[in-house]
């Protein structure tokens, strides 16, 4: 089955081609009629104006017809040739456009019809990774832009000169949301593609072209706003303009994170004493990596200040943006530790209620085997009996684990949920709440890994993470309850996909290795900045910082390309 997003363009193209063919047929018919009609009139010897009473006039008219018949044939022939040429040109032009445009948002590139499927697949994968990075970097930089607005409001009780106070950062947020929407469609198409949908070879090629087109459209949307964002930030205006405010915002966040890093380290030690070692696996090394990013940010902030003091505003802007990227990733690491501590505490408080709720669900399922089976009509009795037995065993093992020493609350809660959901009929709401907590935690942990290792994580991990987030989204975006929350089954799938994404991302990071070739102590945090995508690829000493934008603009602030040797870390 082919999705509507894939089928739509081909059908529209076919309808336009049919119109061109119809035009050609009509033009040809008119030309034929024009050719035949004069001959039919002369051959019939029809009366001439004036009748038989005026033979001379009739003879003259007939003589004129015979004398001009050759000329009369030229014009219709030219009309037929012109109509055929126009119709053919329109047909070929429309066919070429249909081949090149595969999505509503933009072109999918030249030569895709002839490009081998393997190469097109690799291109789609690469663009999915790139588009995900464009969106992530865009939101990071927009966060610093909004911080500048807040600082100016406090300083001047006003806004940014030349910027609509009602809008401010909204045009850029809207561009990011639109780009996210394009990326979401591309990722969904990728998930379906990997699941074997569509099945036909031509349709699968078209699906790959659609992914390419959607990702390219996401990049175009962000490229279109990059210059406007630069104007709003005003970093080239120096310390008296946007650069001064931006440095204050970045330095303030740096100091805040430096203080929180010590607290996160203490939190990890406390979690290690309270729970099983596996409880903190998701954030292992987070504090060290946060310190690494902050070391890099320190260097770049110092360079930015020095460049700004000397009037080299372009260099200062590039160094500042690199520092902002590192600060944003340090915040991800610290937030991850604090979030995990909260989730573990919530899971530990939920486990006893989940055990009780699980027993209620199991008892209800067991009773249905001997009486009414309304909630389980789609489950064969033998399968339901096996599910009940499995859930009983899991709950017994969990109770034993709770009394044997420290445990991992999220892991225990996940095991309860996975065992009970297959027999649950909604009798105990705590099971759905437990499934939601586990899925949220798994999705957030996997997202942290991708966000802080952008240069290493590939398309498979990102695709599974995006699908896990899609299944979880209703519970996050509709607090009013107007949209039904995800089912416990969807939450289990989301949890599983997020864990798979996390494992695949870690695998990609191991395979990627150290981004700096040769032996190095890396006391400046440069390797972490490259691995995290804070600096784009290339020479570590000349790589430009990642910035808001798409493929044409995201590396536009590459002032490091001209940096002085003494200025290199």
């Amino acid at each position: 089955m082919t999705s509507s997003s894939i089928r739509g363009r081909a059908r529209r193209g076919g309808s336009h081609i049919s119109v061109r063919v119809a035009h050609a047929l009509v033009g040809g018919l008119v030309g034929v009629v024009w050719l035949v009609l004069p001959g039919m009139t002369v051959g019939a010897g029809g009366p001439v104006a004036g009748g038989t009473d005026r033979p001379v006039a009739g003879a003259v008219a007939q003589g004129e017809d015979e004398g001009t018949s050759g000329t009369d044939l030229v014009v219709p022939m030219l009309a037929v040739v012109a109509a055929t040429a126009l119709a053919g040109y329109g047909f070929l032009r429309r066919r070429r456009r249909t081949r090149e445009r595969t999505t509503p948002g933009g072109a999918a590139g030249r030569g895709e019809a002839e490009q081998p499927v393997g190469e097109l697949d690799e291109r789609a994968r690469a663009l999915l990774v790139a588009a995900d990075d464009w969106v992530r970097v865009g939101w990071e930089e927009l966060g610093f832009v909004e911080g500048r607005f807040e600082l100016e409001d406090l300083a001047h009780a006003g806004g940014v000169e030349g910027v609509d106070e009602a809008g401010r950062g909204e045009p850029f947020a809207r561009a990011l949301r639109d780009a996210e929407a394009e990326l979401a469609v591309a990722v969904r198409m990728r998930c379906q593609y990997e699941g074997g949908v569509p099945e036909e070879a031509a349709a699968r090629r078209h699906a790959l072209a659609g992914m390419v087109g959607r990702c390219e459209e996401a990049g175009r949307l962000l490229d279109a706003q990059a210059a406007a964002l630069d104007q709003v930030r005003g970093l080239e205006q120096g310390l008296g303009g946007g650069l001064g405010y931006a440095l204050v915002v970045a330095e303030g966040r740096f100091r805040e994170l430096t203080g929180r890093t010590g607290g996160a380290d203490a939190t990890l030690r406390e979690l290690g004493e309270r729970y099983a070692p596996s409880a903190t696996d998701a954030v292992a090394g987070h504090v060290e990596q946060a310190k690494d990013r902050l070391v890099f940010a320190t260097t770049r902030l110092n360079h930015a200040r020095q460049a700004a003091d000397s009037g080299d505003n372009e260099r200062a802007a590039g160094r500042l943006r690199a520092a902002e990227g590192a600060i944003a990733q340090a915040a991800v690491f610290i937030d991850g530790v604090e979030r995990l501590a909260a989730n573990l505490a919530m899971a530990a408080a939920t486990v006893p209620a989940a055990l009780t709720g699980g027993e209620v669900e199991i008892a209800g399922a067991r009773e249905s085997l001997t009486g009414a089976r309304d909630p389980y009509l789609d489950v064969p009795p033998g399968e339901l009996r096996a599910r009940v037995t499995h859930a009983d065993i899991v709950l017994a093992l969990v109770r034993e684990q709770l009394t044997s020493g420290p445990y991992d609350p999220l892991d225990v809660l996940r095991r309860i949920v996975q065992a009970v959901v297959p027999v649950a009929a909604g009798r105990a709401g705590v099971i759905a709440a437990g499934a939601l907590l586990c899925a949220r935690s798994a999705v957030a942990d996997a997202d942290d890994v991708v966000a802080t290792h952008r240069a290493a994580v590939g398309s498979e991990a990102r695709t599974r993470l995006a699908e896990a987030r899609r299944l979880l989204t209703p519970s996050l975006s509709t607090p009013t309850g107007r949209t039904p929350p995800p089912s416990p089954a969807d939450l289990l799938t989301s949890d599983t996909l997020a864990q798979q994404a996390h494992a695949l991302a870690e695998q990609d990071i191991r395979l990627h290795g150290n981004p700096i070739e040769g032996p190095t102590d890396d006391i400046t945090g440069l390797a972490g900045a490259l691995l995290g995508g804070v600096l784009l690829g290339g020479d570590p000493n000349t790589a430009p910082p990642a910035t808001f934008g798409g493929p044409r603009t995201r590396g536009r602030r590459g002032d490091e390309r001209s940096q002085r040797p003494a200025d290199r870390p």
Side-chain angles (χ1 to χ4, degrees), residues 98-113:
T98 302
R99 218 172 31 236
E100 292 178 353
R101 295 190 62 185
T102 60
T103 64
R110 296 179 299 174
E112 286 170 3

Side-chain angles (χ1 to χ4, degrees), residues 189-444:
M189 292 170 70
R190 184 74 204 184
C191 292
Q192 294 174 340
Y193 182 88
E194 293 178 351
V197 179
E199 298 179 355
E200 302 82 2
R204 289 180 69 78
R205 176 188 291 276
H206 194 64
L208 290 172
M211 298 174 212
V212 170
R214 292 287 183 176
C215 292
E216 289 179 341
E217 176 64 10
R220 187 195 66 79
L221 290 168
L222 297 179
D223 280 333
Q225 290 293 332
L229 184 80
D230 288 345
Q231 184 178 5
V232 167
R233 297 207 70 180
L235 299 182
E236 290 77 10
Q237 298 173 7
L239 293 175
L243 181 59
Y245 283 110
L247 279 168
V248 171
V249 170
E251 290 166 346
R253 293 189 181 182
F254 172 86
R255 288 190 294 270
E256 176 195 356
L257 286 171
T258 301
R260 289 173 58 195
T261 299
D265 200 4
T267 298
L268 273 181
R269 289 196 300 269
E270 181 182 348
L271 295 177
E273 296 171 357
R274 182 181 305 175
Y275 303 117
S278 62
T280 57
D281 282 350
V283 296
H286 270 36
V287 173
E288 290 73 17
Q289 292 185 77
K291 292 177 180 179
D292 184 73
R293 297 297 194 277
L294 290 176
V295 167
F296 177 82
T298 299
T299 304
R300 296 298 161 136
L301 284 174
N302 288 337
H303 290 170
R305 275 287 180 189
Q306 293 169 5
D309 290 340
S310 65
D312 192 346
N313 296 330
E314 184 178 355
R315 183 186 302 279
R319 297 309 178 83
L320 171 64
R321 273 179 154 134
E324 289 174 343
I327 291 169
Q329 291 193 6
V332 171
F333 287 123
I334 301 304
D335 289 344
V337 173
E338 295 173 352
R339 183 187 62 247
L340 178 64
N343 287 342
L344 287 172
M346 189 178 301
T350 306
V351 165
L355 280 171
T356 303
E359 293 170 351
V360 171
E361 292 287 4
I362 292 172
R366 186 177 290 113
E367 290 176 3
S368 72
L369 290 170
T370 58
R373 301 184 65 253
D374 290 344
Y376 306 98
L377 292 178
D378 296 333
V379 184
E383 182 179 343
L384 180 59
R385 188 175 290 107
R387 294 181 183 180
V388 169
T389 301
H390 173 72
D392 263 334
I393 293 173
V394 170
L395 264 59
L397 292 173
V398 166
R399 293 190 192 92
E400 182 180 350
Q401 183 178 1
L402 294 180
T403 60
S404 62
Y407 64 94
D408 179 349
L410 279 170
D411 178 66
V412 167
L413 182 60
R414 181 173 286 117
R415 290 165 57 195
I416 295 172
V417 168
Q418 290 174 345
V420 175
V421 165
V423 301
R427 300 180 184 89
V430 67
I431 299 300
L436 177 60
L437 176 58
C438 291
R440 279 179 169 173
S441 180
V443 169

